[in-house]
Amino acid sequence: MSRLDDIFARLRAERRTGLVTFTTAGDPDLERSADVLRVLDRAGADVLEVGVPFSDPLADGPVIQRASERALAAGGTLATAIDLVAGVRASVEAGVVLFTYANPVLRMGLGEFMARAADAGVDGVLVLDLPIEEADGLRGAAADAGIDPIFLLSPTTTDARIRRAASLGRGFLYGISRLGVTGARDAIAAGASELAGRIRSVTDLPIALGFGISRPEHVAAVGRWADAAVVGSALVDVIARTANGDLSGEVERYVRWLRGAAPAPTRE
């Protein structure tokens, strides 16, 4: 079993909703980005989704776009993201998933990418813009490296493509609860439960739901349909707002609040 298998098995045994946190590697800079990952692990995140900074994102809203811009300006690349994971791996218990677009992987080379990611301790890889029909190579390279390939599913994904993703994927499947780009919302999309049900009907793989989740009640709601909630833009916004202040403290308070273990942050 992989580390992600172990994490989701434990969550199911404990009947607890998992928390997957997204941050951009190198935001606000490489040193503090490493500190943030350690804080997220300490605060109770079950999986750390580490975004590779990219200049031309397709699905990221303005908050994460600006995080990529900050990380790129600080020298962030796919290679530095892998090095970031390697630097914190021994000190965090959470699973680590690299979230990237295809272009940086193709530039590095798929085999080299997987080998370097495995050496760094990466547990899973999600290539956002890789069509499922072209994912056999990724799946094979990931399996050879002992890394779980993770696939993205949306409300418009056909049942046939859900089955294909389930047959190729490992670790968990990532369902996006709404169409459009990333960004915090006041409420979870109405179609989130339907999507989770469609995925659940064809596979026993764990399901993580994201896009728009920002509050403890959102996490609790997701737990009725899926194994984990993914929080991205709202957390990245905390990093942006507190980069020149108590960054680690505010990140920890926010994640503990999401987990129901701390009062609401002062700026909510």
Side-chain angles (χ1 to χ4, degrees):
M1 291 178 68
S2 70
R3 193 193 314 264
L4 294 177
D5 291 334
D6 289 341
I7 288 169
F8 281 98
R10 184 174 68 249
L11 290 171
R12 286 178 171 179
E14 295 174 355
R15 298 185 178 182
R16 179 169 65 83
T17 304
L19 180 63
V20 180
T21 57
F22 173 92
T23 57
T24 300
D27 177 37
D29 53 54
L30 289 169
E31 181 178 353
R32 286 184 291 173
S33 185
D35 292 338
V36 165
L37 293 179
R38 295 186 186 96
V39 168
L40 292 171
D41 179 67
R42 184 172 70 235
D46 299 288
V47 177
L48 309 178
E49 195 176 67
V50 179
V52 175
F54 186 57
S55 58
D56 300 286
L58 298 175
D60 292 320
V63 170
I64 293 179
Q65 285 187 37
R66 287 192 291 269
S68 270
E69 291 168 2
R70 291 190 296 270
L72 290 168
T77 63
L78 175 57
T80 63
I82 294 172
D83 290 343
L84 175 70
V85 175
V88 303
R89 178 72 274 182
S91 59
V92 301
E93 295 183 3
V96 176
V97 173
L98 276 183
F99 183 106
T100 184
Y101 289 90
N103 183 271
V105 174
L106 293 175
R107 287 190 63 189
M108 179 176 286
L110 180 59
E112 180 180 351
F113 165 66
M114 288 296 179
R116 292 177 65 173
D119 286 345
V122 170
D123 301 299
V125 167
L126 192 160
V127 180
L128 175 70
D129 54 346
L130 180 69
I132 190 69
E133 294 82 3
E134 300 176 20
D136 285 342
L138 172 78
R139 205 272 187 194
D144 289 344
I147 291 175
D148 290 337
I150 296 162
F151 295 99
L152 199 68
L153 303 170
S154 80
T156 58
T157 302
T158 65
D159 290 343
R161 296 184 92 234
I162 290 175
R163 286 192 293 270
R164 178 66 171 158
S167 69
L168 291 177
R170 287 177 15 194
F172 65 92
L173 292 171
Y174 186 166
I176 61 173
S177 61
R178 65 177 72 242
L179 298 178
V181 297
T182 57
R185 303 290 195 279
D186 291 332
I188 298 175
S193 61
E194 180 183 357
L195 174 61
R198 290 175 60 214
I199 298 170
R200 191 76 81 195
S201 70
V202 301
T203 181
D204 290 329
L205 276 174
I207 303 167
L209 282 181
F211 276 44
I213 296 169
S214 62
R215 304 177 59 86
E217 56 266 33
H218 297 168
V219 175
V222 164
R224 297 199 295 268
W225 319 309
D227 298 273
V230 184
V231 178
S233 293
L235 173 59
V236 173
D237 183 60
V238 171
I239 293 169
R241 290 190 285 102
T242 61
N244 295 320
D246 182 16
L247 174 60
S248 294
E250 289 301 317
V251 166
E252 182 162 5
R253 279 186 283 274
Y254 178 67
V255 174
R256 290 192 182 280
W257 175 62
L258 289 174
R259 285 229 139 303
T266 53
R267 285 193 60 176
E268 225 304 272

